[in-house]
Short mmCIF file of all heavy atoms in Angstrom, two decimals:
data_model
loop_
_atom_site.label_atom_id
_atom_site.label_comp_id
_atom_site.label_asym_id
_atom_site.label_seq_id
_atom_site.Cartn_x
_atom_site.Cartn_y
_atom_site.Cartn_z
N PHE A 26 256.40 166.75 202.93
CA PHE A 26 255.31 166.84 201.95
C PHE A 26 254.24 167.80 202.46
O PHE A 26 253.76 168.68 201.73
CB PHE A 26 254.72 165.45 201.71
CG PHE A 26 253.50 165.42 200.83
CD1 PHE A 26 253.48 166.07 199.60
CD2 PHE A 26 252.35 164.73 201.23
CE1 PHE A 26 252.35 166.04 198.79
CE2 PHE A 26 251.22 164.70 200.42
CZ PHE A 26 251.22 165.35 199.22
N ARG A 27 253.90 167.71 203.76
CA ARG A 27 252.91 168.62 204.35
C ARG A 27 253.37 170.06 204.29
O ARG A 27 252.57 170.97 204.06
CB ARG A 27 252.64 168.24 205.80
CG ARG A 27 251.36 167.46 205.96
CD ARG A 27 251.22 166.81 207.30
NE ARG A 27 251.38 167.71 208.44
CZ ARG A 27 251.22 167.31 209.70
NH1 ARG A 27 250.89 166.06 209.96
NH2 ARG A 27 251.39 168.15 210.69
N ARG A 28 254.68 170.28 204.51
CA ARG A 28 255.19 171.66 204.41
C ARG A 28 255.03 172.19 202.99
O ARG A 28 254.71 173.36 202.79
CB ARG A 28 256.66 171.71 204.84
CG ARG A 28 256.86 171.64 206.35
CD ARG A 28 258.31 171.94 206.73
NE ARG A 28 259.25 170.92 206.28
CZ ARG A 28 259.63 169.86 207.01
NH1 ARG A 28 259.14 169.68 208.23
NH2 ARG A 28 260.49 169.00 206.53
N SER A 29 255.25 171.32 202.00
CA SER A 29 255.07 171.75 200.61
C SER A 29 253.60 172.06 200.32
O SER A 29 253.28 173.06 199.68
CB SER A 29 255.57 170.68 199.64
OG SER A 29 256.97 170.66 199.60
N LEU A 30 252.70 171.21 200.81
CA LEU A 30 251.27 171.48 200.65
C LEU A 30 250.90 172.80 201.30
O LEU A 30 250.06 173.55 200.80
CB LEU A 30 250.43 170.36 201.28
CG LEU A 30 250.47 169.00 200.58
CD1 LEU A 30 249.75 167.96 201.43
CD2 LEU A 30 249.84 169.07 199.19
N GLY A 31 251.57 173.11 202.43
CA GLY A 31 251.29 174.34 203.17
C GLY A 31 251.71 175.60 202.43
O GLY A 31 251.36 176.71 202.84
N GLN A 32 252.44 175.46 201.32
CA GLN A 32 252.79 176.62 200.50
C GLN A 32 251.55 177.20 199.81
O GLN A 32 251.53 178.36 199.43
CB GLN A 32 253.82 176.25 199.43
CG GLN A 32 255.19 175.84 199.96
CD GLN A 32 255.95 177.02 200.54
OE1 GLN A 32 255.73 177.43 201.68
NE2 GLN A 32 256.86 177.58 199.77
N TYR A 33 250.54 176.34 199.63
CA TYR A 33 249.28 176.81 199.02
C TYR A 33 248.43 177.41 200.11
O TYR A 33 247.96 176.70 201.01
CB TYR A 33 248.56 175.63 198.35
CG TYR A 33 247.32 176.04 197.59
CD1 TYR A 33 247.42 176.59 196.32
CD2 TYR A 33 246.06 175.88 198.14
CE1 TYR A 33 246.28 176.97 195.62
CE2 TYR A 33 244.91 176.26 197.45
CZ TYR A 33 245.04 176.81 196.18
OH TYR A 33 243.92 177.19 195.50
N PRO A 34 248.21 178.73 200.07
CA PRO A 34 247.45 179.37 201.14
C PRO A 34 245.96 179.08 201.01
O PRO A 34 245.45 178.90 199.90
CB PRO A 34 247.72 180.86 200.93
CG PRO A 34 248.03 180.98 199.47
CD PRO A 34 248.64 179.68 199.03
N THR A 35 245.26 179.04 202.13
CA THR A 35 243.82 178.80 202.12
C THR A 35 243.15 179.69 203.15
O THR A 35 243.81 180.28 204.00
CB THR A 35 243.48 177.34 202.52
OG1 THR A 35 243.88 177.13 203.88
CG2 THR A 35 244.18 176.33 201.63
N GLY A 36 241.84 179.76 203.08
CA GLY A 36 241.06 180.31 204.17
C GLY A 36 240.92 179.26 205.25
O GLY A 36 241.50 178.18 205.18
N VAL A 37 240.15 179.61 206.27
CA VAL A 37 239.83 178.65 207.32
C VAL A 37 238.31 178.53 207.37
O VAL A 37 237.62 179.54 207.53
CB VAL A 37 240.37 179.09 208.69
CG1 VAL A 37 240.02 178.04 209.75
CG2 VAL A 37 241.87 179.32 208.64
N SER A 38 237.81 177.32 207.19
CA SER A 38 236.38 177.11 207.31
C SER A 38 236.10 176.26 208.54
O SER A 38 236.94 175.44 208.93
CB SER A 38 235.83 176.42 206.05
OG SER A 38 236.39 175.14 205.93
N VAL A 39 234.97 176.50 209.17
CA VAL A 39 234.51 175.59 210.22
C VAL A 39 233.32 174.85 209.64
O VAL A 39 232.37 175.46 209.13
CB VAL A 39 234.12 176.34 211.50
CG1 VAL A 39 233.33 175.43 212.44
CG2 VAL A 39 235.36 176.87 212.21
N ILE A 40 233.41 173.51 209.66
CA ILE A 40 232.36 172.69 209.06
C ILE A 40 231.68 171.91 210.18
O ILE A 40 232.35 171.33 211.04
CB ILE A 40 232.94 171.80 207.96
CG1 ILE A 40 233.67 172.71 206.95
CG2 ILE A 40 231.84 170.98 207.29
CD1 ILE A 40 234.17 172.07 205.73
N THR A 41 230.36 171.94 210.17
CA THR A 41 229.59 171.37 211.27
C THR A 41 228.45 170.51 210.74
O THR A 41 228.06 170.62 209.57
CB THR A 41 228.95 172.48 212.14
OG1 THR A 41 228.04 173.22 211.31
CG2 THR A 41 229.99 173.43 212.71
N ALA A 42 227.93 169.65 211.60
CA ALA A 42 226.74 168.87 211.26
C ALA A 42 226.04 168.45 212.54
O ALA A 42 226.64 168.45 213.61
CB ALA A 42 227.11 167.64 210.42
N GLN A 43 224.79 168.08 212.39
CA GLN A 43 223.99 167.60 213.52
C GLN A 43 223.29 166.34 213.06
O GLN A 43 222.69 166.32 211.98
CB GLN A 43 222.97 168.68 213.91
CG GLN A 43 221.93 168.27 214.93
CD GLN A 43 222.37 168.59 216.35
OE1 GLN A 43 222.99 169.62 216.57
NE2 GLN A 43 222.06 167.71 217.29
N HIS A 44 223.40 165.25 213.86
CA HIS A 44 222.65 164.03 213.53
C HIS A 44 222.15 163.45 214.83
O HIS A 44 222.95 163.03 215.67
CB HIS A 44 223.54 163.04 212.78
CG HIS A 44 222.81 161.79 212.40
ND1 HIS A 44 221.77 161.79 211.48
CD2 HIS A 44 222.94 160.51 212.82
CE1 HIS A 44 221.30 160.55 211.36
NE2 HIS A 44 221.99 159.76 212.16
N GLY A 45 220.84 163.42 214.98
CA GLY A 45 220.25 162.98 216.26
C GLY A 45 220.78 163.87 217.37
O GLY A 45 220.70 165.09 217.28
N GLU A 46 221.36 163.23 218.40
CA GLU A 46 221.88 164.00 219.54
C GLU A 46 223.29 164.50 219.26
O GLU A 46 223.83 165.27 220.05
CB GLU A 46 221.92 163.12 220.80
CG GLU A 46 220.54 162.68 221.28
CD GLU A 46 219.71 163.87 221.73
OE1 GLU A 46 220.12 164.55 222.69
OE2 GLU A 46 218.67 164.15 221.07
N LYS A 47 223.91 164.00 218.21
CA LYS A 47 225.33 164.29 217.99
C LYS A 47 225.55 165.55 217.17
O LYS A 47 224.99 165.70 216.08
CB LYS A 47 226.02 163.10 217.31
CG LYS A 47 226.32 161.98 218.28
CD LYS A 47 227.37 161.05 217.73
CE LYS A 47 227.62 159.90 218.69
NZ LYS A 47 228.21 158.73 218.02
#
Side-chain angles (χ1 to χ4, degrees):
Chain A
F26 174 50
R27 260 167 53 177
R28 284 190 293 268
S29 285
L30 290 172
Q32 294 289 81
Y33 185 79
T35 65
V37 181
S38 64
V39 166
I40 304 187
T41 62
Q43 171 92 38
H44 181 66
E46 295 295 297
K47 282 199 182 158

